[in-house]
Amino acid sequence: MNERASEPVLPRERLNGELSEGSGGMRVEPGDALAYDTTDAPPTMLAPRELDYLHWLGSRVIGTGRVVELGCFLGGSTAALDAGRRHAPAHGPFADASMLVYDAFEMPSDPRIVESWWMKPFGLAAGEDFLPTYRTLHTSRLHRLDLRKGWLPDRADDSELAALYPEREPIELLFVDAAKTWGVHTTILRAFARWMRPGSILVQQDFMDLLPWLSAHMWALRECFEPLDLVRGTPTLSFRCIADPSTRMHDACAQPSDFNQWSEAAEYWEHWLPGIGEAVVASHRCVHALVTGRPAEAGAFAERYEAWCTSGDSAHVYRSPFWRDWLARLPSSEDSDRLRACRAAREMMPSKDANAGGAMYDEARERAVIGMLDELERIHATRIALYGAGRHTRWLLSEDSPFARRRPRPDIVCIIDDAPPAVELRGIPIVTPADARAYVERIDAIVPSSDAHERAIVIRIHEMFGACEAPVVPIYTLCVDGTSPSNEARSQAPSAPVRVRRARCGTYCCGDCTAPSAPVRVRREHLETLAGYRQALGLRQQRAWLDAFAQAYVAPEWASGYVNHRDALLLWDLIEAIRPATIVEVGVASGVSTCVLAHAIAHLTPADQTTRIVSVDLDERCYFDRAHAVGAAIDGMPPELRAMIELRPGSTAVDAARSVPAGSVDFAFIDGDHRHPAPALDMIALLHALKPGAWVALHDIELPEIARRSRAEFQGASGASLLFHAWPFEKMQPEHEDPVLNNIGAVQMPANWQEAADALLALLRQPWEVGEPSTHLGELLSVPS
């Protein structure tokens, strides 16, 4: 598809910049150095990249000390470390020593913990002894393990410390996933870490989670342990021992109330984790203030961490899923209630992190499924196979989906899945790709069934069934790299990737048959030359660039509903005044407005200025013409203008905010879903991304008046109008006598984002035109859900 989104630069994993040697001698980040085969791997809470990293660390053990694992649960980490050790060039005195594995091997007695979202999938009961299960899972490696059962004591005394590790042998690799309290971590340091020596590795699996003792203690021991690797997208941070720690353990405060050096710690961690450290320490300071009985101090740190979590500064970095629980523990106040309400509002919006967001996402998903069904009907596909047996397929087959309501609907012959979770679903057989070949010969089409991984599944389908005649009919994506082209195209460019495009005729092809459409231009004499608000922007009354605008304003004839030339003038006015370096556009559709913004940047900003336009749209296909991709009008632009546009279909304002640094957006244009409260939610999503004083243009702010004049399709779409007219700060709008001609406006952010948040949250208390507040948000707003 015509997606040109440039992802943020991946954060450095090896903190000192020294890359490791991977397969084939390539220099790679540690998490990429040695992949771990998870076939038949035990259940685990660890991310695949954490397992890869532990596998690599295990392979580098040389036998100078023991390998110790504290907190193994069902043993995913055990298996990864053991698999690595089996390939290690160990030759030291402890090369053949068993790996010491320590765990309570007992589930918590509190049923609420056992039934929590992060524990329930493992199917263990409250208080259950799972050591027998562990032994069964690790039968083939038990002879290489030394299992020790028991809870690590809180602030152990000398006799307890001696009993925990009576060997007192050097430790070469220490993996810690049991430091769940301040006192237990003190015990771990004094019982185990004290036996580490220069060159050994300490892995803190929970560092990026909300455990303040980890950043506090490891800062206190900075003369002995140097940060080594932050495993990307996970909470794991490892350390290299650089000095004998045995005499320095008193530096790690045993009591939370004894630690008051957070400012120094924040500076230290920001040095090692640029753009990350201060935010993580802010979350740790918030938790520390709450657990030490100083809740009034927690709010400012919570605000700092929340702003980081919603910005591009946290891209590809682990964000704790337990943060919301700690936010709920903040004492009620104007600041904390605002913070919680804004977070609850953002959680109602879909994002690429989690395709769930209430009515707005559901409607876009339903439109896409209806488009897929229309395409199946057009090509007379009555027998299909679904690829994917997960959550999306269960929804597709439920009575609530457009598929279930379709009459007549296609017959699903089978469901294909790489790892079938069952033998059937609603009576439909679930088969592996290898077993599916007999079914594929009897179907008319294959439909990938995933709203999060459709592109990858389409490529997988073509890898597995490229020779079959059944076409692939995607639901959400329009163009997918890797799709088999026609024989003619294949013969012309056998090695070139082919982009499959749905042509104007409605078929899927290589794109060569898409006939160019005549452009729609505006004439110079149709342009208004006066705008009173220009003076307020510090601009001359006369627009000197009208000729350039008339030449640049072009729309393809197939497009509709785009920003007209009168409205586009305001966008150029604002860009002339702001000269923005970062623009966010919410709602793309055909892409005409995106072109307007790019041309304005080219004509009105300094030639040496680099401007970034991040354009997001919840849909992947144009809402008024599913034959066109979102943003298809951009394809006709010169390459130098296309280069500044990062088009992100299937994304929302939440994703846009997470792609830019906090406080970096000079200008935003919101033209997405106009039903209340969608525009207000878009603004809430961008709050931390917008600079103080930034301008936000809002399109279709006069839709209620247009609807009153018998335009029934605009009934119930007053969100932009409500937002603009209720905005209590600076704003501007054209001054035509006819309100219909004033259908665009702009609002300015106040100096403090909190003031804007209060105004937006007040709007959420008005009746919604799409969806309804979640129970959590409704409670925070005191609005019945």
Side-chain angles (χ1 to χ4, degrees):
M1 60 186 304
N2 62 338
E3 184 174 353
R4 282 175 289 276
S6 63
E7 293 295 330
V9 177
L10 294 176
R12 191 170 60 192
E13 194 164 66
R14 174 55 60 89
L15 301 180
N16 63 11
E18 298 174 1
L19 297 181
S20 305
E21 184 173 328
S23 59
M26 297 289 291
R27 308 302 293 181
V28 296
E29 293 281 14
D32 296 316
L34 188 63
Y36 171 59
D37 183 2
T38 57
T39 304
D40 299 324
T44 182
M45 297 183 192
L46 300 186
R49 194 169 184 84
E50 288 175 298
L51 296 175
D52 289 345
Y53 181 68
L54 294 179
H55 186 223
W56 175 73
L57 284 181
S59 74
R60 296 172 65 83
V61 169
I62 60 175
T64 59
R66 299 289 298 271
V67 176
V68 179
E69 179 185 19
L70 303 179
C72 61
F73 189 45
L74 291 175
S77 51
T78 308
L81 287 167
D82 178 71
R85 287 193 70 194
R86 294 176 64 186
H87 301 288
H91 49 74
F94 298 95
D96 297 324
S98 59
M99 182 166 71
L100 174 58
V101 179
Y102 208 125
D103 199 285
F105 294 107
E106 182 181 315
M107 289 296 288
S109 58
D110 188 343
R112 292 174 300 178
I113 298 177
V114 177
E115 290 296 313
S116 63
W117 61 267
W118 51 278
M119 189 67 77
K120 186 174 182 178
F122 298 98
L124 300 174
E128 179 179 347
D129 180 349
F130 58 85
L131 181 56
T133 302
Y134 181 94
R135 288 183 176 277
T136 301
L137 290 169
H138 297 273
T139 300
S140 63
R141 62 180 67 90
L142 280 177
H143 63 285
R144 295 189 295 272
L145 307 178
D146 182 357
L147 303 183
R148 300 190 182 178
K149 185 177 188 299
W151 294 95
L152 291 171
D154 191 272
R155 284 183 285 275
D157 58 29
D158 290 343
S159 62
E160 290 174 317
L161 292 173
L164 286 172
Y165 189 52
E167 294 86 349
R168 300 191 176 189
E169 294 169 336
I171 294 177
E172 182 180 357
L173 175 59
L174 175 60
F175 174 71
V176 179
D177 191 11
K180 308 305 183 183
T181 71
W182 192 289
V184 168
H185 190 238
T186 303
T187 295
I188 288 171
L189 293 174
R190 293 177 178 175
F192 298 97
R194 68 176 300 145
W195 301 105
M196 302 185 76
R197 296 296 178 260
S200 58
I201 304 298
L202 168 60
V203 181
Q204 294 280 14
Q205 193 277 330
D206 288 313
F207 185 87
M208 294 288 288
D209 258 315
L210 306 171
L211 310 183
W213 44 93
L214 296 183
S215 60
H217 288 166
M218 298 312 295
W219 171 81
L221 296 174
R222 63 194 178 280
E223 300 299 328
C224 305
F225 294 97
E226 181 179 85
L228 182 63
D229 299 316
L230 178 63
V231 182
R232 186 180 305 130
T234 80
T236 294
L237 178 64
S238 66
F239 299 80
R240 179 188 285 122
C241 183
I242 57 175
D244 185 349
S246 59
T247 61
R248 301 298 300 271
M249 287 303 159
H250 63 276
D251 294 340
C253 297
Q255 298 289 344
S257 57
D258 294 338
F259 190 81
N260 59 4
Q261 297 167 293
W262 282 114
S263 297
E264 296 92 329
E267 184 177 349
Y268 173 80
W269 290 117
E270 184 62 23
H271 167 76
W272 280 104
L273 307 172
I276 301 171
E278 286 185 351
V280 172
V281 170
S283 72
H284 287 187
R285 295 186 74 172
C286 174
V287 173
H288 184 248
L290 289 173
V291 299
T292 54
R294 296 175 289 114
E297 300 177 19
F301 305 125
E303 201 170 281
R304 169 72 180 90
Y305 185 65
E306 180 72 2
W308 178 81
C309 285
T310 62
S311 75
D313 300 325
S314 66
H316 304 288
V317 181
Y318 178 84
R319 298 183 295 266
S320 175
F322 303 102
W323 176 238
R324 178 179 168 182
D325 298 332
W326 283 101
L327 274 182
R329 294 179 61 174
L330 289 173
S332 181
S333 69
E334 183 179 351
D335 291 338
S336 61
D337 292 346
R338 177 193 302 114
L339 204 61
R340 284 190 285 259
C342 286
R343 180 176 183 84
R346 284 192 298 270
E347 287 175 345
M348 291 198 63
M349 302 179 67
S351 78
K352 286 195 170 181
D353 285 350
N355 279 329
M360 284 175 280
Y361 169 69
D362 292 340
E363 290 184 11
R365 183 171 64 168
E366 291 208 2
R367 285 198 303 271
V369 172
I370 291 170
M372 175 269 293
L373 292 168
D374 290 343
E375 175 63 15
L376 292 176
E377 184 176 318
R378 190 195 66 78
I379 64 175
H380 306 292
T382 59
R383 296 168 59 82
I384 67 172
L386 298 179
Y387 200 113
R391 171 185 54 81
H392 185 270
T393 293
R394 291 193 297 273
W395 168 77
L396 202 64
L397 298 181
S398 73
E399 297 303 318
D400 297 329
S401 79
F403 187 91
R405 297 192 296 266
R406 190 71 163 218
R407 294 292 184 274
R409 63 177 177 231
D411 177 30
I412 302 176
V413 175
C414 68
I415 300 171
I416 308 170
D417 197 277
D418 291 332
V423 296
E424 65 174 35
L425 178 62
R426 290 181 176 258
I428 303 169
I430 305 176
V431 296
T432 65
D435 295 332
R437 296 189 179 279
Y439 292 93
V440 169
E441 294 174 357
R442 298 185 282 113
I443 63 173
D444 303 316
I446 304 177
V447 175
S449 181
S450 172
D451 50 5
H453 309 289
E454 187 176 74
R455 290 186 184 84
I457 290 178
V458 171
I459 293 173
R460 175 72 170 154
I461 291 172
H462 283 283
E463 289 173 350
M464 299 302 300
F465 308 109
C468 83
E469 296 183 359
V472 179
V473 180
I475 300 176
Y476 302 99
T477 54
L478 181 68
C479 311
V480 181
D481 287 331
T483 307
S484 299
S486 65
N487 291 332
E488 179 181 359
R490 187 184 295 111
S491 64
Q492 293 174 354
S495 61
V498 175
R499 296 194 135 179
V500 177
R501 176 188 304 279
R502 188 176 183 187
R504 297 185 69 200
C505 61
T507 61
Y508 286 86
C509 65
C510 301
D512 297 331
C513 70
T514 304
S517 54
V520 177
R521 290 187 177 274
V522 64
R523 289 186 296 185
R524 169 69 159 79
E525 56 268 27
H526 289 168
L527 299 177
E528 298 289 341
T529 57
L530 299 177
Y533 59 75
R534 281 180 60 86
Q535 184 175 356
L537 289 171
L539 302 174
R540 295 180 179 178
Q541 188 65 54
Q542 298 294 326
R543 299 179 175 101
W545 37 258
L546 285 181
D547 289 329
F549 177 89
Q551 182 65 27
Y553 183 85
V554 180
E557 67 172 3
W558 56 264
S560 67
Y562 51 83
V563 56
N564 64 40
H565 62 275
R566 283 186 296 268
D567 298 340
L569 289 173
L570 176 65
L571 300 180
W572 275 52
D573 290 333
L574 288 165
I575 288 175
E576 181 184 9
I578 302 168
R579 297 187 175 186
T582 303
I583 297 174
V584 166
E585 178 188 27
V586 179
V588 178
S590 64
V592 171
S593 58
T594 316
C595 298
V596 167
L597 295 172
H599 279 293
I601 291 296
H603 283 89
L604 301 173
T605 62
D608 58 351
Q609 175 178 313
T610 300
T611 297
R612 178 186 181 194
I613 303 175
V614 179
S615 298
V616 297
D617 196 293
L618 181 57
D619 262 321
E620 301 242 6
R621 305 182 185 185
C622 202
Y623 74 92
F624 58 81
D625 185 349
R626 309 299 285 181
H628 290 279
V630 157
I634 300 170
D635 288 336
M637 300 185 71
E640 62 273 16
L641 296 186
R642 293 204 307 269
M644 74 175 72
I645 300 169
E646 299 176 17
L647 182 61
R648 298 172 179 265
S651 303
T652 66
V654 172
D655 302 298
R658 287 180 176 165
S659 69
V660 297
S664 65
V665 176
D666 313 88
F667 175 59
F669 179 41
I670 295 179
D671 190 18
D673 192 333
H674 297 304
R675 295 168 297 179
H676 179 66
L681 291 175
D682 288 333
M683 282 281 284
I684 289 174
L686 296 176
L687 276 177
H688 294 299
L690 292 163
K691 287 181 178 178
W695 283 93
V696 179
L698 302 168
H699 197 221
D700 292 319
I701 62 174
E702 296 296 345
L703 284 190
E705 176 61 21
I706 295 174
R708 191 183 66 80
R709 301 185 185 187
S710 301
R711 296 292 297 275
E713 67 268 30
F714 297 134
Q715 292 287 347
S718 63
S721 178
L722 284 171
L723 173 54
F724 179 80
H725 293 293
W727 190 251
F729 311 107
E730 291 294 324
K731 57 188 175 184
M732 60 184 57
Q733 182 182 17
E735 302 163 349
H736 297 285
E737 292 183 4
D738 187 345
V740 171
L741 301 180
N742 302 327
N743 201 27
I744 192 170
V747 299
Q748 188 175 31
M749 285 290 291
N752 299 313
W753 73 268
Q754 294 91 337
E755 297 179 65
D758 290 340
L760 293 166
L761 293 172
L763 280 175
L764 299 189
R765 296 186 178 97
Q766 299 191 30
W768 289 25
E769 294 173 335
V770 54
E772 60 182 11
S774 64
T775 300
H776 182 51
L777 179 58
E779 291 171 351
L780 291 168
L781 297 173
S782 298
V783 173
S785 61

